Amino acid sequence: DTGVSQNPRHKITKRGQNVTFRCDPISEHNRLYWYRQTLGQGPEFLTYFQNEAQLEKSRLLSDRFSAERPKGSFSTLEIQRTEQGDSAMYLCASRPSNGGASGANVLTFGAGSRLTVL
Amino acid sequence: AQSVTQLGSHVSVSEGALVLLRCNYSSSVPPYLFWYVQYPNQGLQLLLKYTTGATLVKGINGFEAEFKKSETSFHLTKPSAHMSDAAEYFCAVSEGANSKLTFGKGITLSVRP
């Protein structure tokens, strides 16, 4: 098991361009989460999936953001018409649906995808 | 709604000194509480967690935290700091096993030789 994998690790783009990030969770994990982390702040919840179903979205997720998990395995997060305020680290995390062996709601995080919008 | 307060953004200690990182939470139900550590260019790694039962929980790398319901606190401690402990530390809360995690702003720990 290689953990949670995120690609690309770093993306630099010009304002107005579209970007897409990919997350490959731990294979047996049904739940997948996206968080955003800006400099000096903790991770902020964006959305989560149970298998292929998107069950909750934060109001932070504007209509320029869309996330998918088409087959209940990997997930993509797309940002359309990027703005400088979108510059952040986008973190993906996963966990089993039953919370794991202890049912403790422990998330395993990937290393993140850093977005810089010029 | 659940929330976490981590006062201050930076703590500096000498190698071998006590580490104390403070965390206070707000939750409408009995909380699940977590401490995560983040090293540069890496993802968040779980240090320890409290769900139910014993209020003093031990984690990796010699860290421990105590859940104090009356104080709504979950402070992280380590008796003797090591240079390798320098990192950013995040406290998080969830309202049970199926709620999303809400994180504090984080505290950067520096360790002086």
Side-chain angles (χ1 to χ4, degrees):
Chain A
D1 187 353
T2 56
V4 178
S5 177
Q6 293 190 246
N7 288 288
R9 290 292 310 277
H10 197 177
K11 178 72 175 179
I12 300 173
T13 191
K14 293 182 179 180
R15 184 164 50 96
Q17 297 296 303
N18 299 343
V19 297
T20 299
F21 299 114
R22 175 177 171 130
C23 172
D24 288 89
I26 292 172
S27 57
E28 62 267 28
H29 285 186
N30 306 97
R31 289 205 180 180
L32 186 149
Y33 296 77
W34 285 99
Y35 280 80
R36 181 173 68 187
Q37 185 179 17
T38 53
L39 198 62
Q41 300 295 319
E44 296 173 295
F45 170 78
L46 293 178
T47 188
Y48 90 91
F49 294 82
Q50 170 91 5
N51 299 314
E52 67 274 11
Q54 189 173 19
L55 297 186
E56 186 175 349
K57 292 193 295 185
S58 165
R59 64 182 183 277
L60 293 175
L61 211 66
S62 76
D63 56 6
R64 296 185 298 105
F65 288 69
S66 62
E68 295 182 343
R69 195 181 183 197
K71 298 182 179 178
S73 56
F74 72 92
S75 175
T76 58
L77 177 68
E78 181 183 16
I79 308 173
Q80 296 182 325
R81 305 181 302 281
T82 53
E83 302 173 356
Q84 289 185 326
D86 298 331
S87 296
M89 176 76 83
Y90 290 86
L91 298 169
C92 178
S94 68
R95 53 156 269 196
S97 58
N98 64 359
S102 63
N105 198 19
V106 173
L107 300 185
T108 301
F109 281 85
S113 292
R114 182 171 296 282
L115 174 64
T116 301
V117 182
L118 302 177
Chain B
Q2 59 200 35
S3 67
V4 170
T5 300
Q6 293 184 255
L7 292 178
S9 60
H10 188 219
V11 170
S12 181
V13 300
S14 297
E15 191 173 19
L18 171 72
V19 175
L20 171 61
L21 304 181
R22 299 179 185 275
C23 172
N24 290 88
Y25 70 91
S26 173
S27 176
S28 58
V29 301
Y32 284 20
L33 295 160
F34 308 83
W35 276 98
Y36 279 83
V37 61
Q38 187 176 33
Y39 298 100
N41 298 316
Q42 295 186 27
L44 280 74
Q45 178 184 0
L46 180 71
L47 273 179
L48 49 79
K49 64 184 184 295
Y50 168 80
T51 55
T52 59
T55 56
L56 180 64
V57 292
K58 296 184 185 299
I60 61 172
N61 302 338
F63 285 94
E64 61 182 38
E66 186 171 11
F67 169 59
K68 292 188 176 181
K69 182 179 178 181
S70 61
E71 299 177 7
T72 61
S73 70
F74 191 57
H75 302 330
L76 182 71
T77 60
K78 181 175 180 177
S80 177
H82 191 272
M83 297 297 290
S84 61
D85 295 327
E88 193 158 17
Y89 292 79
F90 294 94
C91 182
V93 64
S94 73
E95 293 183 333
N98 286 308
S99 170
K100 62 181 180 289
L101 267 63
T102 298
F103 287 84
K105 290 185 175 182
I107 299 175
T108 300
L109 175 66
S110 300
V111 182
R112 303 185 301 272

